[in-house]
Amino acid sequence: MDVSHIFDRLNESQRQAVASPPGPLLVLAGAGSGKTRVLTYRVAWLVQALQMSPLSVLAVTFTNKAAQEMRGRIEEILGYSIGGMWIGTFHGIAHRLLRTHWREAGLKQEFQILDSDDQLRLIRRALKQLNMDDGYWPPKQVQWFINGHKEEGRRPQHIAETNDRQQDDLLRVYRTYEELCQRFGLVDFAELLLRAFELMKQNEVLRDLYQQRFHYVLVDEFQDTNSIQYEWLKLLASTHQNIFVVGDDDQSIYAWRGARIENIFQFEKDFKDTQIIRLEQNYRSTETILSAANAVIGNNRGRLGKNLWTEHDKGDPIRMYAAFNEVDEARFVVDRIQSWVDCGHARKDAAILYRSNAQSRVFEEILLDVGMPYRVYGGLRFFERAEIKDALAYLRLITSRQDDPSFERAVNMPPRGIGNKTMDLVRERARVNQIAYWDATLALIHGHELPSRSVQALTRFVELINSLDEQVQGLALAEQVDVMLCGSGLIAHYRKEKGEKAEMRVENLEELVTAARHFAHDPEDEVGTLPTFLTHAALEAGDAQAQRWEDCVQLMSLHSAKGLEFPLVFLTGLEEGLFPHQRSLQEAGRLEEERRLCYVGMTRAMRQLYLSYAEVRRLHGRESYTRPSRFLAELPSKLVEEIRDGFVMRPHGPAPDEKPESANGLRLGDRVHHSTFGEGVVLHVEGRGEYTRVQVNFADKGSKWLVLAYANLQIL
DNA sequence: GGGTTAACCTTTTTT
DNA sequence: AGGTTAACCC
């Protein structure tokens, strides 16, 4: 078969990687070097040149988005659908294995997935059961402990008892938590991976089956794998040794959640005769942007080492803006985007990036002010919203009465007179008799230890769920959801509540019906549509705004920007303590991860890159003075142009004969004295030369605009 | 048991 | 600042 169309669009190293002979291969792919392209063409090459069946290929990614995109691009190259090929996230594939082999994995057939919110809830319950104070034992910390161990493959029995009282207590919670999960058929994210790994490890038949089936294993973003994921990959690929991993040690930004950058170093030791190919030609950014990014990342030690180059022009200098405060920063950014749009560019080509999601608010406010459409990625996802989780709890309870967490959630939402007191009794009964809340409730209804009001309320609830179950039988998914929303009183509850928030909730609930309507499900599947939908909700939390396809400015955290590119990028909040983040300054190794994050951010930019920081920032309701991020000092000054209130200043750094004040003698935030108005602070500087005007906020007289040449201000 | 208010706490990134 | 929980009154 003629495969020249595959090679035509690749450079030499890309070609080498795509057409490399079977065997272990590590592709070190710098930012913008065509990583995804290599991966997709490799699959196309396997299928077309080597005539491999798509069924024998396994491709693993980290995000659902990446998986979808890869599938789409492969199908585009091949020209036909490859529905049978396994492409998915580690979690998605692990889930698929566990669904198929639930019995062998020791799970209930209808096991449910816990998202981290649910997990936290269950941890609280375990703490309570152990009579441990959740003030002294913050559930978050316990969660951290449990997930940390699971990600390293450690069950409670693998962790040695120590003399450390605290450690032992945490271990007890871990154990109890596991018992609860097992009893209710619940599986958290880390458990999906660990369970799937153990299944392969311990079950020889299944191991053989999948080792034989997957002749080729491909992995995207390999630098982000954690211990379990890597062990699982090794297990799967051990027979054929055809493992093709693509990664970039400089873009490893998930060590905090267990990713082990070492895996990338370990790879060539674990797989004999590993071929290593470097992709160093960058097709994305201007030379200026690339040199700056290279300079920053060059401050990290322990890199595999690689130097990106490009054939592109130098392009514009990188622009740096020192804002007075975070509002000023946002105004500046939005203003620049406005000019960009005025030049005929698309809004969606501009991205505002930040270290933490909380920073998005100021930008949103200003964007809203000027009426510029935008889209925020990340933050609260659709299926994580409280009202959606309430609705899902009803659906879960309809499918399984034994689902205690869902029972707890639904029982008094909307309020129906079943408060803490009653629930305490239910919980107690369930614990003593080792039964589900549902059964405990039935027992209490028939017993005589409850006040009749509670019995009535509980009875009504039980009848409600049973009746919903009946009504829903035989209906299409969307109708099931609709019936549940009305029958449960959820929608009515939010309808009668006033305020914008309540309206949003009603809209979201209605959106859930739409989501159910569009949910495609294979009718051949032995698992019902509703359970599959519920799983989908947990595994793919859904984007916050599944909005219409409008031309929007893109707002997102640096983490979620990985893998994307934009012609115009604003990297904001470059302040010590914010970026690099405070918490990364305490632990060793974390600072390098922050620097990689900075590198990731900078290399998202194709043509123009703006960096900004605020000299005063209001965070958590407190205003504080900041210091510019150390990363700014790591930029070669000749590549950077500083902007202050609309006009360009000399680049930073050694400017031999020039004093920094030379532009107009005043800096924002300077304290000045005026002969009649007294003392004040400089808020704005506008214009240049003799026309320079400044806005000064005087302690006694408020803010005034003054012409600098006549004002005769003294800097204090 | 429910609803309101007051204190309080937490603020990184995600499957 | 924002949201969540605890305390309080109805």
Side-chain angles (χ1 to χ4, degrees):
Chain A
M1 179 161 194
D2 177 29
V3 289
S4 58
H5 67 284
I6 290 184
F7 291 121
D8 287 349
R9 297 181 59 205
L10 301 174
N11 69 26
E12 187 48 37
S13 351
Q14 289 174 337
R15 231 172 272 154
Q16 256 182 42
V18 165
S20 73
L25 181 79
L26 170 62
V27 180
L28 292 173
S33 65
K35 167 177 76 79
T36 314
R37 170 170 295 197
V38 165
L39 220 39
T40 49
Y41 277 86
R42 171 69 171 181
V43 175
W45 189 79
L46 291 174
V47 174
Q48 289 193 329
L50 298 193
Q51 299 288 304
M52 298 298 305
S53 157
L55 296 179
S56 66
V57 179
L58 171 70
V60 199
T61 63
F62 273 84
T63 64
N64 295 303
K65 203 167 80 188
Q68 274 168 14
E69 192 182 319
M70 200 192 298
R71 180 179 292 273
R73 281 168 75 166
I74 293 170
E75 290 181 345
E76 211 172 286
I77 303 169
L78 292 179
Y80 54 86
S81 159
I82 44 159
M85 181 179 156
W86 283 35
I87 302 181
T89 62
F90 277 101
H91 292 86
I93 286 164
H95 174 251
R96 188 166 178 173
L97 287 169
L98 295 178
R99 274 284 172 230
T100 325
H101 308 292
W102 55 273
R103 212 187 295 272
E104 294 89 332
L107 289 166
K108 297 185 176 180
Q109 184 169 19
E110 65 286 359
F111 71 87
Q112 291 289 335
I113 297 171
L114 290 176
D115 69 18
S116 44
D117 213 49
D118 302 326
Q119 186 185 33
L120 214 54
R121 232 178 280 279
L122 202 63
I123 287 171
R124 285 211 184 87
R125 183 162 164 192
L127 284 167
K128 199 168 238 172
Q129 190 170 316
L130 291 169
N131 276 320
M132 290 164 79
D133 177 16
D134 61 0
Y136 183 69
W137 296 103
K140 273 248 160 66
Q141 201 180 310
V142 180
Q143 185 178 34
W144 179 258
F145 174 87
I146 293 177
N147 288 341
H149 280 298
K150 283 194 181 186
E151 271 151 16
E152 295 290 319
R154 287 189 293 269
R155 296 283 182 196
Q157 62 267 26
H158 299 138
I159 306 167
E161 301 254 344
T162 55
N163 292 325
D164 187 350
R165 177 79 201 288
Q166 190 160 333
Q167 188 79 7
D168 288 352
D169 281 350
L170 282 168
L171 199 53
R172 276 170 59 217
V173 190
Y174 185 5
R175 224 176 262 131
T176 309
Y177 168 78
E178 287 238 291
E179 282 162 22
L180 289 175
C181 285
Q182 193 60 34
R183 171 136 47 101
F184 303 130
L186 300 169
V187 175
D188 61 48
F189 286 134
E191 183 74 25
L192 280 173
L193 301 175
L194 182 52
R195 229 9 117 109
F197 168 71
E198 289 172 346
L199 177 69
M200 291 281 116
K201 178 120 187 160
Q202 289 155 14
N203 191 314
E204 207 175 321
V205 179
L206 289 178
R207 183 168 67 235
D208 279 351
L209 179 73
Y210 286 101
Q211 281 176 343
Q212 291 306 322
R213 168 168 178 175
F214 296 124
H215 282 82
Y216 291 92
V217 177
L218 296 95
V219 189
D220 192 14
E221 308 276 18
F222 183 66
Q223 76 282 353
D224 288 334
T225 49
N226 65 29
S227 296
I228 279 299
Q229 287 162 338
Y230 185 41
E231 290 303 316
W232 183 74
L233 287 172
K234 281 200 284 190
L235 208 58
L236 263 185
S238 63
T239 307
H240 298 291
Q241 300 263 314
N242 292 328
I243 180 163
F244 185 102
V245 305
V246 183
D248 180 3
D249 52 323
D250 289 334
Q251 292 188 70
S252 157
I253 53 175
Y254 286 110
W256 55 272
R257 64 166 199 211
R260 289 170 38 122
I261 191 172
E262 308 90 279
N263 288 346
I264 214 168
F265 311 126
Q266 191 62 34
F267 187 81
E268 52 177 329
K269 294 183 189 133
D270 289 336
F271 291 95
K272 293 288 159 241
D273 305 316
T274 293
Q275 202 192 150
I276 299 181
I277 293 177
R278 285 184 158 76
L279 301 182
E280 298 186 304
Q281 182 175 2
N282 172 294
Y283 293 95
R284 179 183 295 154
S285 312
T286 64
E287 207 215 312
T288 301
I289 292 171
L290 214 51
S291 325
N294 280 337
V296 170
I297 198 66
N299 289 295
N300 272 3
R301 303 170 162 279
R303 303 168 60 210
L304 281 173
K306 106 181 100 33
N307 222 5
L308 282 180
W309 58 277
T310 180
E311 287 176 348
H312 288 167
D313 292 338
K314 275 195 167 7
D316 292 336
I318 290 167
R319 305 208 166 86
M320 212 270 291
Y321 182 66
F324 177 57
N325 58 23
E326 76 280 356
V327 177
D328 182 31
E329 180 185 44
R331 284 217 181 93
F332 171 78
V333 168
V334 173
D335 197 53
R336 289 285 156 147
I337 296 177
Q338 191 59 60
S339 337
W340 163 266
V341 173
D342 290 344
C343 290
H345 294 106
R347 278 184 289 264
K348 68 171 163 45
D349 286 342
I352 305 174
L353 309 183
Y354 34 76
R355 177 65 177 83
S356 63
N357 280 320
Q359 285 168 257
S360 76
R361 262 225 350 266
V362 192
F363 291 105
E364 289 187 66
E365 277 165 21
I366 306 292
L367 285 163
L368 231 40
D369 256 6
V370 302
M372 188 182 294
Y374 65 92
R375 178 177 180 347
V376 187
Y377 291 77
L380 247 203
R381 267 159 284 245
F382 184 70
F383 286 110
E384 286 169 2
R385 293 177 183 201
E387 64 275 17
I388 298 300
K389 297 200 82 168
D390 290 338
L392 293 178
Y394 277 95
L395 295 175
R396 292 219 164 95
L397 210 49
I398 288 171
T399 39
S400 163
R401 301 295 131 92
Q402 313 301 307
D403 188 333
D404 283 4
S406 296
F407 184 99
E408 178 118 31
R409 185 152 196 139
V411 74
N412 205 29
M413 191 66 220
R416 46 172 73 89
I418 306 171
N420 243 328
K421 227 167 177 173
T422 312
M423 270 312 287
D424 271 343
L425 290 168
V426 171
R427 281 190 280 258
E428 179 61 15
R429 172 59 74 93
R431 199 180 57 79
V432 172
N433 294 7
Q434 291 281 304
I435 51 177
Y437 288 175
W438 178 267
D439 298 319
T441 303
L442 294 181
L444 285 171
I445 288 174
H446 297 302
H448 298 285
E449 59 250 70
L450 275 186
S452 67
R453 200 151 56 100
S454 307
V455 171
Q456 245 173 32
L458 285 174
T459 310
R460 292 227 316 265
F461 179 66
V462 167
E463 281 167 358
L464 172 69
I465 297 298
N466 284 337
S467 125
L468 283 175
D469 193 357
E470 268 171 48
Q471 290 176 57
V472 138
Q473 291 306 320
L475 292 180
L477 183 62
E479 274 66 50
Q480 293 187 356
V481 176
D482 201 31
V483 165
M484 180 278 301
L485 284 178
C486 299
S488 65
L490 267 182
I491 274 248
H493 173 71
Y494 288 118
R495 279 235 173 85
K496 72 167 184 273
E497 213 164 271
K498 53 191 178 339
E500 220 173 304
K501 240 174 162 176
E503 274 174 47
M504 272 298 286
R505 303 212 137 132
V506 174
E507 275 173 38
N508 284 332
L509 287 172
E510 281 160 357
E511 186 62 32
L512 184 65
V513 181
T514 314
R517 187 159 290 128
H518 294 304
F519 182 69
H521 177 59
D522 180 8
E524 303 274 304
D525 198 332
E526 52 187 291
V527 185
T529 307
L530 184 51
T532 317
F533 181 63
L534 291 172
T535 297
H536 166 80
L539 221 48
E540 262 177 85
D543 277 320
Q545 300 119 307
Q547 274 177 183
R548 57 237 169 264
W549 191 247
E550 202 181 355
D551 182 28
C552 290
V553 177
Q554 318 278 308
L555 279 75
M556 69 191 79
S557 71
L558 285 160
H559 284 85
S560 30
K562 188 163 76 144
L564 305 176
E565 58 180 24
F566 308 93
L568 174 62
V569 167
F570 295 87
L571 195 48
T572 65
L574 278 149
E575 294 140 37
E576 285 292 301
L578 187 63
F579 186 30
H581 194 274
Q582 196 62 50
R583 293 174 64 152
S584 68
L585 299 175
Q586 282 123 16
E587 275 171 82
R590 291 292 195 85
L591 180 65
E592 296 220 335
E593 179 149 311
E594 295 285 307
R595 192 174 280 113
R596 291 194 291 267
L597 200 50
C598 183
Y599 174 76
V600 167
M602 293 175 75
T603 52
R604 296 312 94 195
M606 298 164 78
R607 295 180 46 203
Q608 289 187 44
L609 175 61
Y610 281 87
L611 308 173
S612 64
Y613 68 93
E615 291 168 338
V616 176
R617 183 173 293 271
R618 193 182 193 89
L619 208 59
H620 322 313
R622 178 154 272 115
E623 217 164 56
S624 55
Y625 286 86
T626 64
R627 281 185 304 124
S629 167
R630 67 191 70 193
F631 301 144
L632 287 172
E634 294 172 1
L635 295 166
S637 58
K638 62 176 190 297
L639 302 178
V640 183
E641 190 176 273
E642 188 181 344
I643 301 170
R644 283 231 172 204
D645 267 290
F647 53 98
V648 174
M649 309 259 290
R650 287 291 310 230
H652 266 11
D657 303 321
E658 219 151 357
K659 292 179 190 128
E661 310 90 305
S662 66
N664 53 42
L666 281 180
R667 295 169 60 99
L668 292 186
D670 276 350
R671 296 194 64 80
V672 292
H673 182 267
H674 185 271
S675 50
T676 41
F677 298 126
E679 276 188 28
V681 176
V682 179
L683 293 185
H684 282 285
V685 184
E686 213 176 73
R688 49 195 342 172
E690 56 180 317
Y691 302 110
T692 307
R693 299 195 315 139
V694 295
Q695 188 188 23
V696 182
N697 189 24
F698 291 102
D700 304 327
K701 311 278 177 180
S703 83
K704 304 236 181 274
W705 279 101
L706 306 165
V707 175
L708 191 59
Y710 303 111
N712 197 16
L713 294 172
Q714 279 180 291
I715 301 174
L716 298 174

